[in-house]
Amino acid sequence: MKAYTKPAVYRLTILSILLVIIGSGCSITRGIRKDQALVRKITIKGIDEQFAETAINYVDKEQQPNNWLNLQLYYTFSNKGKKNIGEAPVVVDSNLIEYSRVQMEKYIRSRGYLKAKVTDSVVIKKQKAELIFTADEGPMFRIRKFTDSIADNNIKALYSGNRNRISHIQPGGRFDTDSLAYDRDQLYLLMKHNGYYDFYRQYINFTYDSTFNNSVVDVKMIIDNPAGKTQHPVYTINNTLITISNSQGRTPGKVDTIQVDSQFRFVDYSKRFKPRVVTEYVFQKKGEIYDIDKQTRTTTRLSELNVFRNVPNPVYEKLKDSSNRLNTRIDIVPLKRMSDRVEGEVLFSGGRFGYNVGNTFTDRNLFKQAAILQLKVNWSILFDNGNNVGNDHSSIQNQEFRVGAQLVYPRLLLPFKFPFLGKFAVPHTTFSSNYSLFYQKDLVKRESFINSITYDFFDTPYKTHTITPINIEFSRGIIDPAARAALLAQNRYSYVYLIGRTVFTSGSQYTYQVNAIKLNGYENFTYFRSSLDIGGNFLNLVSNLTNAPKDTLGQHKLFGYTFAQYTKVELDTRIYRNFGGEKQFVFRINPGIGIPYGNSNQLIFEKNFYAGGANDIRAWLPRTLGPGQFNRGTYYGTDVNNRARLKYLDQFGEIKFITNAEYRYLLANNFFGAKLKGAFFVDAGNVWRLHNEPDNPNGQFKLNNFLSSTAVGIGTGLRFDLSFFVFRLDAAFKLKDPQFSGANQWVLINHAGELFSRGSFKQAYKAANGEDYNFMQLNFGIGLPF
């Protein structure tokens, strides 16, 4: 047994550095009287290591040491009248110390040390206090024998058949009260799963005898019958009344009651829903025994439809006869049918800035079937003050306009009968149609039109399947005549073909996810996502059967256009590990590959991989990394026009490998109403070309150059957690840049003095590339990066 110490917490982040500067020289004991002492440390001695970290949580919150940053925030803002920011100083309180000692002693005894004693002491130096709790655990008690006394034979048989599955109480095991509480809860749920609607935890009691001399305990479980009865009744479901109010929760006027079938009656004061919307997700059917799991499943599935504001648990009423039947009532309040949301963001990076504005209109109950229709419009624009190409001196670099419609049904709409898959989540059928128009200044205008049908469903609470059997894409590029002539004059045919061709494809997609439901928690788990995208195979079969004509490159044409044929695979594996509280480590591996074949020798432009950005390798802007060791400055040389024209378009690949490691922790519980969290991270990876392409020298993937062509970025960040969303700010730094060679790749180490100033390295880079080299990239985002 070792002493366990909880010191004050110190972290290094963007904000904490700033606060150190602001508050430098300030004592952490300011703001308390001279006869008071600030709690700065808690030490626990004599407790088994496996319980020590938990035991410290039994020290009262008002005696836990302040987080250093929380305390500085309080000192900074309390002087301005905002005392709800940060944490007030925690001072020694003898009453709370005694209360903590008693709670800790109870906790140790609950772990099987029935004779444990805890004493406390306080050491104060310069108004800083250390609280010391010393435990004498004594012997650990084990279970010698377990017996039961169950008056109802039916319950005894049910318990006996499930005991090995639900019980933590085993002879020879440690005696602890948590196991007793766990067994009581598991047995209670077992009864509730099997029709015992009137069964309560109070019917279950444990007695134990610890009067033996060798630290053992005999445990006995007793389950009583209801007063005056010889057994517990088993209830079955009878009729169900479903009532839907208006969106204000009111039931005005009179409406007709619809008798749906022998079980369901339906009353809709909103006049907006068909009965099937609700009855399909009521899992307690007439004649079945009561099951609390089906009750919970009903409430959860109805809430997941996203058309109801309030779905309380069903209310049950016993029939007055002796049949042990339950009538069910479900009262629901719907959301407003229509809503409109405007969103926008502003982006800054060096001489580049831009904005993105969008509008989403939602109809939550189309055709009275809880089908959700969304209409989205989005416009984004990027300016680049330092990049004017040709005679047009506008600073607009590129623009994109997107419009789309999506209709989501809360069921699988199939031309054949298929088992209902709503046990673990609401399945969906999504019809979507999207159009986008992209304009790159003095280079190209690309438009694409995508139509698809998608099905998603769960086969367990943690496994999601998304199948898109039909996905039809049409894309077309129109290259600026001057740019086209310049590219062709320099034999850059592949770029002309890549961004200027008209192509379509028809394919299918499949995505499989595991543990997506756990991503917002702090438990230990592994998340996995895999996606497969296959296109053009059916069209290739049709073209071969019909002997379709070919273009000048030997590719088949259907309906007057060539079609794309490819296979694309991407994997995303993340390992989440918790280090107590809200401290978490995440490790991510994200590889992918796309292979054109058959009727294609290149992937469609939009199907390629790109690196960089707020959710990827954060030290680089999107589309500005790779492929491999491709160096734009060396490749383009004095060709300033094409270097500018093809920016954001020429750094792509058919292969990608991204890996990230991030440590997340809590900084302050209350920062202007939000939780303030910090993170340290390392990002590594790149994209590569499948083959040695003249337009991307040194961009091909090879095993012997994998490490030398891998980029590495490091950084730190802040997360402002407002519960309903997380606002994120990351500062990322280029550590290893693969566009250079050998030791010169370690740019941050070799040129740390130029991080925030200009020197020979930056001057040489600007001369070669026509722009500044940015070591640091700030990323603003909504939500966590992964």
Side-chain angles (χ1 to χ4, degrees), residues 595-610:
I595 303 175
Y597 57 88
N599 207 52
S600 296
N601 56 18
Q602 280 189 337
L603 289 176
I604 300 174
F605 179 75
E606 289 78 9
K607 295 291 182 181
N608 283 286
F609 293 109
Y610 300 88

Side-chain angles (χ1 to χ4, degrees), residues 257-302:
T257 298
I258 300 174
Q259 186 71 43
V260 179
D261 54 26
S262 61
Q263 177 182 355
F264 294 104
R265 288 185 301 146
F266 183 78
V267 184
D268 182 10
Y269 287 92
S270 72
K271 300 179 181 179
R272 288 165 39 195
F273 297 91
K274 292 183 179 180
R276 179 188 175 188
V277 171
V278 181
T279 59
E280 190 170 52
Y281 289 101
V282 177
F283 292 89
Q284 291 268 238
K285 302 302 183 182
K286 190 170 185 175
E288 295 180 348
I289 62 171
Y290 166 80
D291 185 340
I292 194 171
D293 265 1
K294 292 181 178 179
Q295 169 190 313
T296 303
R297 193 182 307 154
T298 295
T299 303
T300 304
R301 294 297 93 80
L302 290 175

